[in-house]
Amino acid sequence: MNINSSDLETALKVVRTTVGSSSDISSHYVFRSREEGLEVLSYDGSAFSSCLVPHTKVEETVSFTVEARRLHAILGTVGANQVLDIIVADSGVGIRTSRGKPVPFYSLDPTLFPFWDDVLSGAKLTVKVSADRLFAALTHAKQFIFDQESKAPHLCVAEFRKGILYSTDNAGVSLVKMPGMEASSLRVYVKDLGNVLSFLATAKGQDVELLESDRASFIRRADGAVFGETVFAHRFPDFPVDWSLEDDQSWGIFQEELLGSLKLLQSGAKTDEPRVRFQRVVEGAGVGELVISMTDPSGKLMSQSIPLVDFVQREGGITDMPVFAVADSYIIKLLNGNDNSKVTLGVTKREKGGWVRIRDLRGVDTYLTTIAWLKLA
């Protein structure tokens, strides 16, 4: 059978992220003939994926495996759009390039591979959604997700519930409200999140289907390529959200000015300084200015002042807002992901601390991120 090297590379870009590292069949690509053509699959013990090799027809029923690293090695020796002659025999698999004799590869028994056909056929189609919207939401959630499974496994997921994507790392909480996702209960394990994003990146500009069961969740492209993940046992905790909750104060500021001033302070801050202090200062009329400060290597505070664009005081909210601190890395994350010229910081004080919230509307989706105050020292 003949395969174009570029077509094979295109398919492997989809399935390479779910290749395992063990010495068993999980470290191999599994190939099998389908009515639609030649399919390649991989499985790393938790996540799995499959894709048809484009423009490849198979006249006979075949199935074989090739160790992933060896297949990539041989592809590295040929250029784009080169013909690979795949020879499948009982003794193994041979791949012939334009260089001459076929290179033999050891094929494991394909029947040992845990095909997921039955699970996929039994899964329910819950949602059809833009891959770009889902990619953006999960990319944001990835910044605020716990990764220490031994301590809090229920926080090591990003999970949809009633149209809201939840994630937290115990310091920041990310909520993304996505209209149209109400029927989905997609739960993505932190260690699989990068692979999910890689798959969604291959569907840029397309819609994808979410298929879900109690055993696994699947994301399927229009061409039939699939990414799947076994359902992680621990669900995200119940987390009541009051979207109508108003902050004590809202501080409007130009995004670029805040980001630039913060990066300037970071450049001079002591190495182990994790926090940036915020204070609203008002002298005379007007909405005042925001003063941000960090500690320099000598232990002294250095500061930058930025004019506020607008200020809103909630009736009944705290009027005398104290100086507070948040993790500088979290503010940087939020500002880098915000495409608006102005950002609004929602600031609220509670008895033993407080929070800063940033609400961001991206198309029809609402991103609400909350960052807890840190101790000042």
Side-chain angles (χ1 to χ4, degrees), residues 68-87:
R69 67 179 182 88
R70 297 185 184 276
L71 184 55
H72 286 292
I74 198 170
L75 284 171
T77 69
V78 300
N81 295 310
Q82 299 299 304
V83 176
L84 302 178
D85 184 14
I86 312 294
I87 304 164

Side-chain angles (χ1 to χ4, degrees), residues 276-292:
V276 56
R277 293 163 177 80
F278 285 74
Q279 182 181 18
R280 175 174 171 260
V281 177
V282 182
E283 294 182 2
V287 296
E289 61 183 11
L290 173 63
V291 177
I292 59 174

Side-chain angles (χ1 to χ4, degrees), residues 118-129:
D118 292 342
V119 182
L120 177 58
S121 63
K124 179 183 177 182
L125 174 60
T126 57
V127 169
K128 188 173 183 179
V129 63

Side-chain angles (χ1 to χ4, degrees), residues 178-333:
M178 293 184 64
M181 287 292 293
E182 291 79 8
S184 176
S185 300
L186 181 67
R187 180 186 308 160
V188 182
Y189 177 45
V190 60
K191 292 182 180 179
D192 291 330
L193 188 48
N195 292 340
V196 173
L197 292 173
S198 294
F199 181 81
L200 289 171
T202 69
K204 187 175 182 179
Q206 306 174 26
D207 286 344
V208 293
E209 296 176 333
L210 303 188
L211 302 100
E212 303 173 44
S213 74
D214 57 356
R215 294 175 57 189
S217 299
F218 301 88
I219 304 173
R220 185 166 62 195
R221 291 191 327 199
D223 64 356
V226 168
F227 177 92
E229 174 189 34
T230 54
V231 175
F232 189 60
H234 301 274
R235 68 189 295 270
F236 194 87
D238 292 331
F239 193 91
V241 179
D242 182 2
W243 288 87
S244 64
L245 178 67
E246 296 182 7
D247 294 300
D248 288 340
Q249 296 179 356
S250 295
W251 303 350
I253 193 166
F254 285 122
Q255 189 259 10
E256 287 189 2
E257 290 195 26
L258 178 55
L259 183 59
S261 296
L262 181 52
K263 287 183 176 180
L264 184 62
L265 288 178
Q266 284 182 318
S267 69
K270 65 179 183 180
T271 304
D272 59 347
E273 172 63 288
R275 59 182 64 79
V276 56
R277 293 163 177 80
F278 285 74
Q279 182 181 18
R280 175 174 171 260
V281 177
V282 182
E283 294 182 2
V287 296
E289 61 183 11
L290 173 63
V291 177
I292 59 174
S293 56
M294 297 184 74
T295 305
D296 69 14
S298 70
K300 296 180 180 179
L301 284 178
M302 51 182 184
S303 62
Q304 290 286 315
S305 298
I306 313 159
L308 289 176
V309 178
D310 53 53
F311 171 80
V312 176
Q313 173 68 56
R314 179 177 65 84
E315 184 177 351
I318 296 294
T319 56
D320 186 18
M321 189 65 65
V323 178
F324 62 88
V326 295
D328 61 326
S329 60
Y330 283 76
I331 294 293
I332 291 289
K333 287 178 185 179

